[in-house]
Amino acid sequence: MTVKALKGFKDIIPGEVETWQFIEATARDILHRFGCSEIKVPILEKTKLFQRSIGETTDIVEKEMYTFPDRNGSSLTMRPEGTASVLRAYIENGLHAAKPIQKLYTIGPMFRHERPQMGRLRQFHQISVEVVGTDLPKVDAELMAMAALILEELGLSASLEINSLGCPKCRPAFNKALLDFIGGVDDLCEDCLRRRDTNPLRVLDCKSANCQAHYKDAPSILDHLCTDCADHFSAVKKGLDLLKVAYTVNSFMVRGLDYYTRTTFELLTNDLGAQSAVGAGGRYDGLVEQLGGPAVPGIGFAVGMERLALLLNQQDNTLPEPEIDLFIAALGPLGQDEGFKMCHALRALGLSVAMDYQDRSLKNQMKQAGKAGARFVLILGDEELKNKQAVLRNMENHEQQEVALGGDIKHWSLELADNLFD
Ligand code: ATP
Ligand code: MG
């Protein structure tokens, strides 16, 4: 019996991986323009890192984490998101001392035990960004503008929804108002009844249509913000206006993680069925301190790469075909050996080169060259080697030229490379 991959875990095979490379290269380029540095963090962490940051009564921690004891019996978790790990690394490596404002990004797999469906996997990938050390509203606006720019440069469109979740000063009053409201509703789903007692804010995130119908009349957090939070939110909106980034305010967006304070946002699309969020984030001003670090504010977001790839594929954006510089059509035993050496020498010089080691007919090899997208073909047979002349064929305009093969291999490889770059 063949062993298959786990449910919700997917291979990204050639033909698909080009889209992923395009996404990653585009995002990296933009992130660097905004002054972000890459940080690579482990996939496995102590479970308590996520319990403490994401929150014990969130969906992720309650039912989605891959948690298991290791051989020593300590509880480990495969990271379900990037922020907690990056902040742990920020604290552990003293990055706050190195630079007062750190802009960090990481790209990699995340793990959540969810029901797999289109755009929802158990191993999925995120590009996630954290800006730690400032709570200036312009930074929030800049980060959202950057997220929007990533989508724009990928050729995708999404709408931006924003909200403010207030701070520990003003949230308790809102929680109380929300609890009073929920107290007056009696046919909530089981999850919401539980959330009512553990984490009332979470109810607003409920997917049940019945619950959502009730919550239409729920109090708005925006009516409960303290002056500082209200001013901050106004300034964030002004920042978005200055950058001409379109947004709508959605006072019911609460996000699924407990650490958020003030600004939260989501980038939404209509093109992925139930999986409408392509990216999301928010401010987490108390989190670094809560994890044992300095009292510095921060904000971050993550975009889901599977969802970006699905959107790109739907758009049928044809990516450039893979291309190689040269195919060596090597004929006969001597041609095969010389071609073999030349192939390596040219690759070492920086060219992408392919050849066929099976000495098939010229016709067959020309076909292979075409399939590989070769810009040039070098025809190298016993005859050519004897005369120290080979034919270089430009596959685009079909022009042919003779190239001299005199001297040592390094010499004619170089000459050939010059010809190819002309
Ligand atoms: P959703 O509401 O779709 O479950 P989420 O709020 O749980 O999303 P976040 O934790 O904010 O998602 O993660 C940010 C982004 O990561 C999402 O907008 C989405 O694009 C992507 N993402 C989250 N979970 C998955 C998953 N299981 N499979 C694929 N992508 C995911
Ligand atoms: Mg989720």
Side-chain angles (χ1 to χ4, degrees):
M1 211 175 59
T2 52
V3 180
K4 298 253 175 75
L6 296 170
K7 193 173 158 195
F9 288 65
K10 245 181 113 281
D11 304 305
I12 302 161
I13 57 177
E16 297 171 349
V17 84
E18 291 76 14
T19 307
W20 286 71
Q21 288 165 344
F22 171 61
I23 293 170
E24 194 169 323
T26 306
R28 270 181 202 280
D29 181 43
I30 294 170
L31 288 159
H32 293 159
R33 275 183 252 158
F34 280 77
C36 302
S37 307
E38 185 170 12
I39 181 167
K40 289 180 185 287
V41 290
I43 281 165
L44 214 51
E45 297 274 0
K46 290 180 183 163
T47 303
K48 61 173 173 263
L49 175 67
F50 304 112
Q51 288 169 333
R52 262 201 226 161
S53 53
I54 297 170
E56 296 270 12
T57 54
T58 56
D59 281 357
I60 295 180
V61 173
E62 274 182 345
K63 46 190 189 197
E64 294 175 359
M65 293 204 305
Y66 278 88
T67 296
F68 52 88
D70 82 349
R71 289 174 186 278
N72 308 324
S74 25
S75 181
L76 304 184
T77 293
M78 307 199 29
R79 61 180 189 195
E81 56 112 45
T83 303
S85 308
V86 169
L87 294 186
R88 185 214 30 79
Y90 167 90
I91 297 166
E92 196 164 332
N93 294 283
L95 297 187
H96 58 285
K99 233 193 215 176
I101 297 174
Q102 286 281 356
K103 297 180 170 186
L104 304 167
Y105 77 89
T106 196
I107 301 179
M110 306 295 160
F111 304 86
R112 294 184 197 175
H113 198 282
E114 300 193 73
R115 196 164 65 78
Q117 51 196 294
M118 183 183 75
R120 189 175 296 284
L121 286 129
R122 290 181 172 174
Q123 175 175 330
F124 62 99
H125 300 76
Q126 285 184 339
I127 300 167
S128 70
V129 187
E130 317 297 336
V131 179
V132 193
T134 169
D135 60 2
L136 288 173
K138 277 202 172 71
V139 172
D140 303 35
E142 182 186 75
L143 196 75
M144 288 185 260
M146 182 172 77
L149 189 62
I150 292 176
L151 283 157
E152 190 186 318
E153 288 198 14
L154 288 172
L156 300 174
S157 60
S159 53
L160 174 67
E161 290 192 356
I162 66 170
N163 193 18
S164 174
L165 293 184
C167 68
K169 254 194 309 180
C170 50
R171 186 128 19 113
F174 172 70
N175 273 341
K176 189 175 172 306
L178 188 61
L179 270 176
D180 288 347
F181 170 83
I182 304 171
V185 187
D186 47 16
D187 61 339
L188 293 179
C189 74
E190 256 177 48
D191 275 343
C192 281
L193 289 175
R194 196 166 38 84
R195 290 176 186 132
R196 184 182 60 186
D197 301 327
T198 54
N199 198 342
L201 201 63
R202 288 266 70 73
V203 302
L204 297 178
D205 214 17
C206 183
K207 300 268 190 298
S208 141
N210 182 52
C211 295
Q212 279 304 336
H214 287 303
Y215 302 146
K216 278 203 175 63
D217 306 317
S220 159
I221 184 143
L222 295 178
D223 297 331
H224 290 79
L225 296 181
C226 60
T227 317
D228 285 350
C229 286
D231 289 350
H232 192 271
F233 193 51
S234 298
V236 171
K237 288 188 287 186
K238 185 179 161 214
L240 287 171
D241 293 338
L242 287 173
L243 299 181
K244 298 203 162 34
V245 176
Y247 61 87
T248 51
V249 174
N250 172 1
S251 65
F252 291 110
M253 187 220 303
V254 291
R255 309 282 306 116
L257 303 93
D258 278 354
Y259 53 60
Y260 286 122
T261 54
R262 293 191 168 173
T263 314
T264 52
F265 61 98
E266 286 188 346
L267 284 157
L268 302 166
T269 165
N270 292 322
D271 304 326
L272 286 179
Q275 276 54 258
S276 57
V278 278
R283 189 158 269 297
Y284 42 73
D285 289 343
L287 184 57
V288 178
E289 192 176 18
Q290 194 184 313
L291 291 173
V296 289
I299 181 169
F301 77 91
V303 289
M305 296 178 78
E306 276 73 10
R307 295 184 192 176
L308 294 179
L310 278 169
L311 287 169
L312 281 171
N313 293 339
Q314 275 180 8
Q315 288 210 341
D316 207 22
N317 284 0
T318 36
L319 291 175
E321 290 282 313
E323 226 185 41
I324 61 170
D325 296 313
L326 178 71
F327 188 93
I328 300 179
L331 305 160
L334 195 58
Q336 279 279 319
D337 282 357
E338 289 306 314
F340 184 54
K341 287 197 286 185
M342 200 168 186
C343 203
H344 184 68
L346 289 168
R347 284 172 178 161
L349 288 173
L351 298 180
S352 54
V353 188
M355 72 171 273
D356 167 56
Y357 295 148
Q358 295 185 66
D359 199 4
R360 281 181 273 221
S361 70
L362 181 60
K363 195 171 156 207
N364 182 301
Q365 295 200 42
M366 291 307 286
K367 234 193 222 165
Q368 292 185 53
K371 260 197 183 159
R375 291 168 47 230
F376 289 87
V377 174
L378 185 77
I379 301 165
L380 204 61
D382 287 352
E383 193 65 19
E384 281 80 6
L385 286 163
K386 212 188 307 153
N387 301 334
K388 299 197 187 318
Q389 288 276 350
V391 173
L392 184 67
R393 183 180 166 92
N394 182 324
M395 296 292 275
E396 239 163 62
N397 58 19
H398 306 295
E399 273 174 23
Q400 302 206 144
Q401 55 173 306
E402 297 263 321
V403 288
L405 298 179
D408 65 13
I409 180 143
K410 189 104 192 231
H411 176 80
W412 40 269
S413 295
L414 271 174
E415 191 173 309
L416 188 58
D418 274 353
N419 265 307
L420 292 177
F421 283 129
D422 272 352

